[in-house]
Amino acid sequence: MTKTRSLSTFLLCLLMLLQCYHTYAQETVITGTVTDETGTGLTGATVAVKGGKQGTSTGPAGKFSFIVPAGVTTLLISYVGYETREVPVTGRELNIRLQPQNTLLNAVVVVGYGTQKRADLTGAIASARGEDIKSLPVTNVQEALQGRMAGVEVVKSSGAPDATASIIIRGVSSLNNAPPLYIVDGVRQSGDNINMQDIASVDVLKDASAAAIYGSAAAGGVIIITTKKGQGAKPTINFSARYGVTTPMTLDLLDRNDFVKLKRTLDPNYLSGIDVDTLPNTNWVKELYGHAKEENYNLSVSGNTPGVNYYVSAFYNGQSGIYRNNSSYLSGARVNTDFKLGKYVKLGEQLYVWSRSTKPEIVTAINPPFRSIPIMPVYDTRDPKSPWGKSPIGFGGPNLVGQIETAHILNNKFNLQGNVFAEVQLPLYLSFRTTFGYTYYNENQSYFQDAYNFGQVATTINQLQKFNVNQPTIMSNYTLSFDHAFGKHALNAVIGYEQFKTTYNSQYATQTSVGGNSFSFIQTSASQATVNGSYDPNGLIKSTFARLNYNFNSRYYLSGTIRRDGNFTVFGTGNQYGTFPSGSAGWRISEEPFFRSMLPKVSQLKLRGSYGLLGNSNIGAYKFLSTYDQVNAQNFTPGGAPFIGVTPTFLSNPNVKWESVYEGNIGLDAELLDSKMFFTIEWYNKTTKNMLYGLPIPLSSGITTPFYTNIGSVRNRGLEIVLGYKDKVGDFHYSVSANGAFNNNKVLNLDNINNNPILDGNNNYGNASFGIMVNQPITITKAGLGFGQFYGYKVEGIYKTEDEISKHPQQEGNRARPGDLIFADVDGNGVINDKDRTVIGNPNPKFIYGANIRLDWKGFDLALLFNGAAGVDIFNGVKAYASFPFADGNTTSKVFNASFLGSNQVTDQPRIDNNDPNGNYSKSSSYYVESGNYVKLKNLQLGYTFSDDLLRRISIKTARIYVMANNLFTITKYSGIDPELSGTVTARGIDAVWQYPHARIYSVGLDLAF
């Protein structure tokens, strides 16, 4: 029994030992390291068995050790913000590198003198990819950003082929509002005339913390443009072509029959005894406006070898205007190269050159041309010396076609911008970079006005005008950077010095009675010439700057920036230098262990805040100095020698100084649902103090230029929201994003002008002394209100009876009649006069927004871009001309709805009287203020990308064809042509008659890569 029990025990122990040995033989201990794309270890990454529950987390520096069960062949490696990888178990030591997810917060953005991950940012920065804007029919980056960024208001109110768009970042912040600063590949230059196909990314620095590194030039925000570099070892050739048809958006004027009908209604004796059918019937709108074309061609070659990275491109863009004899042609070329000299030295250059040739509208493009009549012919073949139609009886205006055809004008612009840099990696994690840049800008214009005879309007003297402006700028920049992570700490710092030296040179020449009809100054016995110009080689700006970024464990962030700028031609001694500091902090809440366990679906959540100071020096040079002009020689004694006198032309202000912009910002960024959804919320408070302003001087002083000084303060306060979602269902991919921004603009004080209001704006006919509302200011700017509020009489309705008139206060010297507008007695003194003018509308939108929709399915793609505004008013100045027979010209069919015109009784439109004694059409009033709310489908693209199998047969990498429509439709209650209007700081939102018409563009395009 004992032997049997002992044998059984032995066999059992042996079996257990064999089982343990078998189990041990099947398990594997795997060690390794998980790093990010730069090779930095990721602490807290998950290492798990695919299809199982076993797993572990990486420790410091991304190290891990893991017992892998028997039969396991694949591990899953994951980390928040990075793509999950499946790794085969092929050995005992694994080195795994994760790539960032293609999400908003993991994108790399360009900041001043460096780059950062968006997840590490503490300032407010909005971004756009070059891929999203490359096919747009634009040649300026401002218009390309429309509707794409919260708080970035872009308005293009002209359809002219060379027109740019106005851009306002977080509200109008000054009476002398500074435009954004444009930085292209690290160098300041214009944002106009950039090839959209060259752009890799656009980053907009919106708050003071992000923009303070650019100091005095950043009050209007900073737009950083990064152009493309080579991708891939083999050369890639890209070619694109686009052709589009442009159609104008215009109003129609009365034709011959309706025009004569209106005239005879007002005056039964008009053209008495003349058969209307024998008169001309000229459609001046069609004579001046018509379909045009837009075409664009681009070719680039790029590549990346171990020693050289290169990108070379050339492009051509041609636009014929929708206005007669109006066109613009742009061409340019770019060369970007980087050379690596070993491990520690890199050299490079960027060269961009463009040339634009434009025929601008020599006669203001008034839409429609009210100063015309249909019974005047365009041509008159009976007079071979002057074949233009002559003014008929009762019309003293010009022949509009003749005005354009007898004027020959050509404007040429040329710009060369180049820079070279050298970057050296130094010990102790230091890097030194020096950049030298040169920009040469030249503009010249030739304008020959031939003699003409249009009947009432004629001249027998021709004239030639020419001007030339050139402006070279030399830039030098030196930066020293430190970038290192040690343990859980990461430190990035940069210090630098920058200098800009500019020379300005201009010449202007005019000669009358020129021989011939060309752009040559051919003198005749009757010629008279004047020549003037200016030369200033003293433009100089010197700057020093520094920035320090620190983060702990990729959770807690601190950043500080300071810049000191010296401007030696804008400000005088004692005011030349300005210092602009900022600070910010951030907290990645999603990196906290407690947060991950509570809200695992939220992959990224960051809270940040900032405060900083920016500057503005956007005025002309030498406003701190007095200037004088020579006057006629005078004899101070009988028969004595003449003395040339001088007179002051400018009232100097030696105390004029920097304008200061103080801004605070709080932001929250988040991604959730596996980064399918993202949102950003920003709140900001921006106050501008010591605003620069050109104070008008009374004409009695003999000085016509304004007196520049610092006055008052203004505040912009607002909220910005960005929300997006992207996902896929099988082969169907979709993404939707929307952005919106609320802004409140308020003038706090105008202290240096005793808080006197600033009156501005007009609705003249392109001439200060001619038009329906001559000498009627349209806007008012004063403390307690936003910039440029509409100003005039408040209308309470239209008088229907004499009894209503007798019960209401009347204007001094005039009694209203039924059909006249009822003006409110605002001050209650029983009389309607100038003191009853009040605020009647707000042209500053309370809310601007945009939306982007992208759909992809099996090679097809559809993209829609919407933009709009809400809480905004428009002064419809065209309405007065379109409802009233203007001067001796024409009007539209709306005139027939006037009260008591013909058989009409009282309508919703005031009566017509040639002298307009009540001011129905000649006084600024709320009758012309309308809601400017709108939503516009700004761009629609439908494309198809051909399959690789098909292309491979003809040696093409990719091919895409597309159709596109721009400015397709607008949803609005506004009765005018288009509610998208710009203007000046104190006079925006006025739909005046001299607006160049908006246009629609229908295009087809092709993109090829070889």
Side-chain angles (χ1 to χ4, degrees):
M1 288 289 295
T2 303
K3 289 182 179 181
T4 302
R5 186 179 296 127
S6 298
L7 180 61
S8 298
T9 302
F10 172 76
L11 292 174
L12 180 61
C13 291
L14 180 61
L15 182 61
M16 293 176 63
L17 182 62
L18 290 173
Q19 180 64 36
C20 290
Y21 175 79
H22 175 76
T23 302
Y24 176 78
Q26 296 301 314
E27 291 180 339
T28 306
V29 178
I30 302 295
T31 60
T33 305
V34 179
T35 63
D36 64 12
E37 75 280 12
T38 67
T40 303
L42 295 174
T43 303
T46 300
V47 181
V49 172
K50 182 180 180 180
K53 298 181 178 180
Q54 301 90 337
T56 188
S57 297
T58 59
K63 301 291 185 180
F64 71 91
S65 179
F66 181 37
I67 299 177
V68 178
V72 172
T73 59
T74 305
L75 299 180
L76 289 178
I77 316 297
S78 61
Y79 188 75
V80 175
Y82 288 79
E83 301 285 353
T84 299
R85 280 192 60 185
E86 294 187 8
V87 179
V89 180
T90 56
R92 302 287 182 94
E93 181 75 23
L94 298 177
N95 292 311
I96 304 157
R97 178 168 292 190
L98 299 183
Q99 295 297 321
Q101 289 179 334
N102 184 21
T103 65
L104 180 69
L105 291 182
N106 280 318
V108 175
V109 298
V110 180
V111 296
Y113 310 99
T115 60
Q116 280 185 284
K117 279 187 179 180
R118 182 169 291 278
D120 297 337
L121 292 175
T122 51
I125 299 180
S127 302
R129 300 186 312 157
E131 193 68 21
D132 296 330
I133 62 177
K134 68 177 185 178
S135 297
L136 296 178
V138 300
T139 57
N140 61 81
V141 74
Q142 303 100 315
E143 192 178 354
L145 299 181
Q146 192 170 36
R148 299 181 184 277
M149 298 177 176
V152 179
E153 182 184 5
V154 181
V155 177
K156 186 181 181 184
S157 57
S158 170
D162 61 337
T164 60
S166 66
I167 183 167
I168 300 172
I169 299 174
R170 292 188 164 182
V172 180
S173 60
S174 171
L175 286 166
N176 196 47
N177 201 54
L181 171 67
Y182 292 89
I183 305 293
V184 182
D185 292 328
V187 178
R188 295 188 192 187
Q189 59 177 278
S190 168
D192 300 332
N193 303 319
I194 292 179
N195 182 13
M196 293 295 113
Q197 295 277 351
D198 287 345
I199 295 177
S201 65
V202 181
D203 298 292
V204 179
L205 315 186
K206 297 192 292 185
D207 74 330
S209 170
I213 194 71
Y214 292 107
S216 65
V222 181
I223 298 178
I224 299 179
I225 301 170
T226 303
T227 59
K228 292 179 179 177
K229 294 186 177 182
Q231 301 289 334
K234 294 183 179 181
T236 298
I237 301 174
N238 288 278
F239 173 77
S240 65
R242 182 181 69 244
Y243 184 88
V245 176
T246 307
T247 62
M249 300 165 63
T250 58
L251 284 177
D252 291 325
L253 294 171
L254 297 179
D255 64 8
R256 175 191 61 195
N257 293 341
D258 282 339
F259 177 78
V260 173
K261 174 184 174 183
L262 172 65
K263 285 291 190 178
R264 288 178 173 175
T265 301
L266 299 174
D267 178 9
N269 294 320
Y270 181 74
L271 297 181
S272 177
I274 296 179
D275 183 0
V276 175
D277 292 337
T278 65
L279 298 173
N281 188 13
T282 303
N283 188 328
W284 289 98
V285 175
K286 288 188 177 180
E287 292 291 342
L288 297 182
Y289 300 104
H291 291 345
K293 66 177 182 179
E294 189 266 349
E295 53 187 328
N296 191 88
Y297 307 98
N298 184 86
L299 178 66
S300 67
V301 180
S302 62
N304 186 16
T305 69
V308 180
N309 182 296
Y310 59 92
Y311 176 85
V312 181
S313 73
F315 78 102
Y316 169 83
N317 180 272
Q319 299 180 61
S320 57
I322 55 177
Y323 192 54
R324 193 181 188 106
N325 273 10
N326 176 216
S327 60
S328 190
Y329 302 95
L330 173 69
S331 58
R334 178 180 297 278
V335 179
N336 293 347
T337 53
D338 293 348
F339 302 90
K340 297 177 182 178
L341 305 181
K343 295 182 179 180
Y344 305 108
V345 179
K346 182 168 70 173
L347 304 177
E349 59 77 33
Q350 287 92 36
L351 176 67
Y352 182 55
V353 59
W354 60 261
S355 176
R356 181 185 280 276
S357 178
T358 301
K359 288 184 178 180
E361 65 272 19
I362 190 60
V363 178
T364 303
I366 291 175
N367 179 27
F370 293 102
R371 190 87 195 279
S372 65
I373 57 175
I375 62 174
M376 178 178 178
V378 177
Y379 302 101
D380 185 357
T381 57
R382 295 172 299 176
D383 184 1
K385 293 183 179 180
S386 182
W388 304 110
K390 307 301 187 293
S391 308
I393 296 174
F395 181 68
N399 183 314
L400 296 175
V401 173
Q403 273 190 316
I404 295 172
E405 296 295 342
T406 58
H408 309 279
I409 186 168
L410 184 63
N411 181 279
N412 293 303
K413 298 178 182 179
F414 173 82
N415 188 81
L416 181 148
Q417 190 279 320
N419 66 81
V420 295
F421 71 88
E423 187 173 309
V424 181
Q425 300 297 321
L426 302 174
L428 303 176
Y429 312 105
L430 294 171
S431 175
F432 176 76
R433 181 182 174 113
T434 180
T435 305
F436 294 95
Y438 177 77
T439 300
Y440 178 80
Y441 175 79
N442 178 267
E443 180 177 357
N444 64 79
Q445 181 174 283
S446 298
Y447 167 33
F448 175 76
Q449 177 61 64
D450 207 346
Y452 53 79
N453 180 11
F454 307 141
Q456 295 292 321
V457 179
T459 180
T460 58
I461 300 175
N462 64 23
Q463 179 176 274
L464 175 61
Q465 297 177 357
K466 284 193 171 189
F467 77 79
N468 181 75
V469 175
N470 60 78
Q471 186 171 336
T473 299
I474 299 174
M475 184 276 291
S476 56
N477 174 279
Y478 311 89
T479 60
L480 180 66
S481 303
F482 174 85
D483 192 0
H484 183 55
F486 44 98
K488 296 183 179 181
H489 307 272
L491 195 65
N492 175 275
V494 61
I495 58 173
Y497 171 82
E498 193 168 58
Q499 176 177 300
F500 294 87
K501 184 74 171 64
T502 302
T503 299
Y504 179 86
N505 189 19
S506 66
Q507 303 86 34
Y508 299 83
T510 301
Q511 181 174 301
T512 59
S513 299
V514 179
N517 60 355
S518 68
F519 291 148
S520 296
F521 285 113
I522 301 175
Q523 189 171 357
T524 67
S525 58
S527 294
Q528 292 185 349
T530 59
V531 179
N532 56 55
S534 61
Y535 176 73
D536 181 10
N538 300 314
L540 180 63
I541 298 175
K542 293 183 177 181
S543 307
T544 53
F545 53 89
R547 180 180 59 218
L548 178 65
N549 293 329
Y550 166 78
N551 83 71
F552 174 76
N553 201 24
S554 296
R555 296 183 192 175
Y556 314 109
Y557 297 83
L558 292 174
S559 180
T561 301
I562 189 167
R563 184 175 180 119
R564 186 172 186 259
D565 287 321
N567 194 316
F568 298 89
T569 57
V570 172
F571 303 113
T573 303
N575 295 314
Q576 293 171 335
Y577 283 95
T579 302
F580 309 98
S582 75
S584 59
W587 177 27
R588 287 183 70 183
I589 306 172
S590 55
E591 296 302 296
E592 299 289 353
F594 72 86
F595 184 87
R596 291 186 183 181
S597 59
M598 288 192 305
L599 296 171
K601 291 292 184 180
V602 181
S603 55
Q604 300 269 12
L605 183 66
K606 182 177 65 173
L607 179 67
R608 49 188 167 79
S610 67
Y611 188 81
L613 170 64
L614 301 173
N616 181 15
S617 58
N618 187 37
I619 59 175
Y622 306 114
K623 304 304 181 185
F624 57 92
L625 295 177
S626 296
T627 58
Y628 300 85
D629 274 355
Q630 293 182 345
V631 295
N632 294 333
Q634 300 290 332
N635 295 323
F636 292 97
T637 59
F643 290 91
I644 297 178
V646 293
T647 182
T649 58
F650 180 77
L651 193 60
S652 67
N653 181 5
N655 297 317
V656 66
K657 61 182 180 180
W658 297 91
E659 179 177 298
S660 301
V661 181
Y662 300 83
E663 184 174 7
N665 188 91
I666 298 174
L668 183 69
D669 305 314
E671 291 184 0
L672 55 159
L673 303 179
D674 296 326
S675 297
K676 294 177 182 178
M677 179 179 287
F678 63 87
F679 69 83
T680 294
I681 300 175
E682 308 261 7
W683 176 88
Y684 62 88
N685 187 50
K686 180 169 63 172
T687 302
T688 304
K689 300 181 180 179
N690 298 313
M691 291 185 291
L692 292 166
Y693 181 60
L695 193 64
I697 302 296
L699 294 178
S700 58
S701 67
I703 298 175
T704 58
T705 53
F707 173 74
Y708 278 87
T709 185
N710 298 93
I711 70 167
S713 60
V714 65
R715 184 189 68 205
N716 283 276
R717 182 179 289 168
L719 182 71
E720 299 170 353
I721 303 171
V722 178
L723 178 65
Y725 185 85
K726 61 180 181 180
D727 201 356
K728 64 178 181 178
V729 179
D731 293 328
F732 180 68
H733 298 247
Y734 62 93
S735 65
V736 180
S737 65
N739 65 80
F742 298 89
N743 184 75
N744 178 262
N745 175 269
K746 184 177 181 181
V747 177
L748 301 180
N749 67 78
L750 298 172
D751 47 17
N752 276 4
I753 54 174
N754 298 319
N755 276 313
N756 291 329
I758 299 171
L759 300 180
D760 199 359
N762 66 78
N763 190 30
N764 300 323
Y765 196 75
N767 185 310
S769 60
F770 184 66
I772 281 183
M773 295 184 181
V774 175
N775 299 321
Q776 286 285 309
I778 304 292
T779 67
I780 185 171
T781 298
K782 67 178 182 179
L785 300 174
F787 281 130
Q789 303 289 289
F790 294 135
Y791 181 63
Y793 295 91
K794 183 179 179 181
V795 172
E796 296 179 327
I798 293 179
Y799 289 116
K800 295 181 176 60
T801 64
E802 287 288 347
D803 185 56
E804 285 183 324
I805 296 172
S806 63
K807 293 179 181 180
H808 196 278
Q810 298 296 300
Q811 298 182 53
E812 297 172 328
N814 177 70
R815 177 180 172 82
R817 293 171 54 185
D820 283 335
L821 295 177
I822 304 173
F823 297 127
D825 182 16
V826 174
D827 64 358
N829 67 352
V831 178
I832 305 299
N833 54 28
D834 286 352
K835 294 181 180 179
D836 292 307
R837 290 185 295 177
T838 186
V839 174
I840 54 177
N842 182 5
N844 303 300
K846 296 178 182 178
F847 183 58
I848 59 173
Y849 56 91
N852 292 268
I853 301 173
R854 171 84 186 198
L855 309 175
D856 294 271
W857 180 75
K858 291 186 176 180
F860 289 96
D861 62 86
L862 176 66
L864 301 95
L865 170 65
F866 296 88
N867 77 294
V872 59
D873 295 318
I874 290 176
F875 189 91
N876 188 350
V878 177
K879 183 178 179 180
Y881 293 85
S883 308
F884 183 83
F886 168 58
D888 54 353
N890 204 349
T891 186
T892 75
S893 59
K894 294 180 181 179
V895 70
F896 292 114
N897 192 44
S899 296
F900 299 112
L901 182 69
S903 60
N904 291 348
Q905 297 301 307
V906 175
T907 67
D908 59 357
Q909 186 172 309
R911 73 182 184 91
I912 290 173
D913 189 301
N914 286 335
N915 298 318
D916 195 27
N918 193 64
N920 297 328
Y921 297 93
S922 56
K923 280 185 168 61
S924 171
S925 71
S926 61
Y927 177 74
Y928 299 101
V929 176
E930 302 181 31
S931 169
N933 299 347
Y934 73 92
V935 57
K936 179 177 293 189
L937 179 53
K938 195 66 178 180
N939 184 262
L940 182 149
Q941 285 191 50
L942 174 64
Y944 180 77
T945 301
F946 291 91
S947 67
D948 293 341
D949 293 338
L950 178 62
L951 298 176
R952 205 173 289 120
R953 301 174 187 174
I954 52 177
S955 301
I956 297 177
K957 292 182 179 178
T958 61
R960 177 178 179 262
I961 58 172
Y962 63 91
V963 292
M964 176 173 62
N966 213 56
N967 209 19
L968 191 57
F969 66 78
T970 303
I971 300 173
T972 181
K973 293 182 178 179
Y974 178 58
S975 66
I977 296 177
D978 197 304
E980 187 177 340
L981 298 168
S982 60
T984 64
V985 171
T986 55
R988 68 178 299 191
I990 301 174
D991 193 359
V993 291
W994 57 85
Q995 298 281 349
Y996 192 109
H998 285 266
R1000 292 189 178 94
I1001 304 178
Y1002 303 92
S1003 307
V1004 59
L1006 170 69
D1007 294 329
L1008 297 174
F1010 302 90

